[in-house]
Amino acid sequence: MPSDHRRGLLWALAAAVGIASFVIPWKVAASHGGTAINTLLLLTIAAVFNSLLTGFRKRSFPRFRPFDLGIAAALATFTLFGNLASAAAIQHLSPALLTVMQRSEVIIVALLAWPIIGERIEARFWIGAAVAGFGLFLLQDAVSASEPRAVGMTWAAVSAFCFASMAVITRLFIQRIDLVAVNALRLWIAVALWFVFNGFPAEIFEVSAAQAGYVGLAAFFGPFLGRLCMMNSARYIEARVTTLATLAAPPLTLLLATVLLADQPSAREIQGGIVMLIGIAIPVLGWAKQRPASDASASNS
């Protein structure tokens, strides 16, 4: 596998770790505060993290072109609504099920990237996605009618669409923007948009230290670390491959939930995780084997 593509896959897998680590404190934070305030805290803290990283890298205030502002504004809109939907979903779902539902982003990215970016969808991708989808079903029997989770699942699907749109926009323009600076800008714009829609509620002054702490952990692993890793991955590999690799997040979430929340996985959930990993391996390994051959033929031409 060429080093650039290996680097892209490693960034995508790092994003999966961030996604899995994000959901645990995000779930705990939901018991300390409401959806809107948690979203504001999440975006603000993540914006601070990204701004500090930008300042450390550049040693000066970054200059933004109108193009940068436009891309950041588009990303910020999907960021705000995606995180609001995620905060609403986690009120009703377990961390593992939220992560599972959000991995429908894989199919959404492929469908959006096809007409917008022109990324061809290979047969092995659909085979792998189908196998992984069956694994998702086993992991958290999402269609079970025994529990009233429809509202949470709907919000999770909305958040998946928003985050998928962000992945496609990032892939389309990644070579024309300063990744870290634009990521910080999109978060600050999302914070500003939050106040546009919500005003300045009194609940802001009622945030507890525990609520801020758990949201801070979620902000570090999700909108900061996880999103930066996904955006870095987009420099080297197709958007659908990035999101497919993040299907490793649900099994990781189950592991973390077991260790940190004493949430023991069932045999069905373990089976689902194994099937998912097989589904991930089908297109990724097939794609990796094709790359050296195509590169070799290109070098001989």
Side-chain angles (χ1 to χ4, degrees):
M1 184 190 300
S3 60
D4 281 352
H5 302 103
R6 184 183 299 110
R7 189 178 297 117
L9 284 174
L10 290 175
W11 278 118
L13 292 173
V17 174
I19 291 169
S21 302
F22 156 79
V23 182
I24 304 301
W26 193 225
K27 176 65 176 179
V28 179
S31 64
H32 291 274
T35 297
I37 298 300
N38 279 348
T39 301
L40 174 62
L41 290 172
L42 182 81
L43 295 174
T44 303
I45 296 171
V48 170
F49 284 142
N50 277 273
S51 297
L52 291 175
L53 180 59
T54 301
F56 177 78
R57 289 175 64 249
K58 292 184 170 295
R59 308 292 182 180
S60 62
F61 189 81
R63 295 182 179 180
F64 296 106
R65 303 162 297 168
F67 178 81
D68 297 323
L69 293 172
I71 297 301
L75 291 173
T77 301
F78 287 114
T79 296
L80 176 61
F81 289 108
N83 282 289
L84 283 171
S86 171
I90 200 64
Q91 298 277 353
H92 304 282
L93 304 178
S94 68
L97 183 52
L98 175 61
T99 309
V100 164
M101 289 299 299
Q102 287 186 329
R103 292 313 94 210
S104 61
E105 179 183 351
V106 173
I107 304 301
I108 300 172
V109 165
L111 294 176
L112 291 176
W114 186 11
I116 295 175
I117 305 178
E119 291 186 353
R120 185 171 59 89
I121 304 177
E122 307 94 336
R124 67 174 179 271
F125 175 87
W126 291 116
I127 294 172
V131 173
F134 180 65
L136 293 179
F137 174 80
L138 291 176
L139 187 65
Q140 278 282 358
D141 194 9
V143 298
S144 173
S146 61
E147 299 181 38
R149 298 179 291 184
V151 173
M153 291 167 62
T154 300
W155 281 120
V158 171
S159 70
F161 175 82
C162 291
F163 296 142
S165 300
M166 290 176 62
V168 173
I169 293 172
T170 300
R171 174 66 179 173
L172 186 60
F173 298 108
I174 189 64
Q175 303 300 337
R176 301 172 60 186
I177 61 174
D178 183 318
L179 176 64
V180 177
V182 169
N183 196 43
L185 181 61
R186 65 106 182 172
L187 287 165
W188 285 119
I189 293 176
V191 171
L193 288 174
W194 187 96
F195 283 104
V196 169
F197 287 104
N198 295 278
F200 205 88
E203 289 83 357
I204 292 177
F205 301 102
E206 300 172 0
V207 174
S208 66
Q211 180 183 359
Y214 285 117
V215 174
L217 280 174
F220 175 79
F221 287 113
F224 175 61
L225 183 63
R227 183 55 56 179
L228 277 179
C229 289
M230 287 194 71
M231 295 174 82
N232 267 307
S233 176
R235 290 188 184 276
Y236 308 106
I237 58 178
E238 292 87 345
R240 68 188 184 281
V241 178
T242 295
T243 52
L244 190 67
T246 61
L247 279 176
L252 291 174
T253 303
L254 277 176
L255 176 62
L256 291 174
T258 300
V259 174
L260 299 177
L261 302 180
D263 185 10
Q264 296 293 330
S266 64
R268 186 185 183 96
E269 291 170 340
I270 294 173
Q271 293 166 359
I274 294 173
V275 172
M276 278 182 51
L277 293 177
I278 294 172
I280 294 168
I282 290 173
V284 171
L285 293 179
W287 170 82
K289 290 177 181 178
Q290 268 197 349
R291 287 290 182 177
S294 62
D295 288 350
S297 62
S299 64
N300 293 330
S301 61

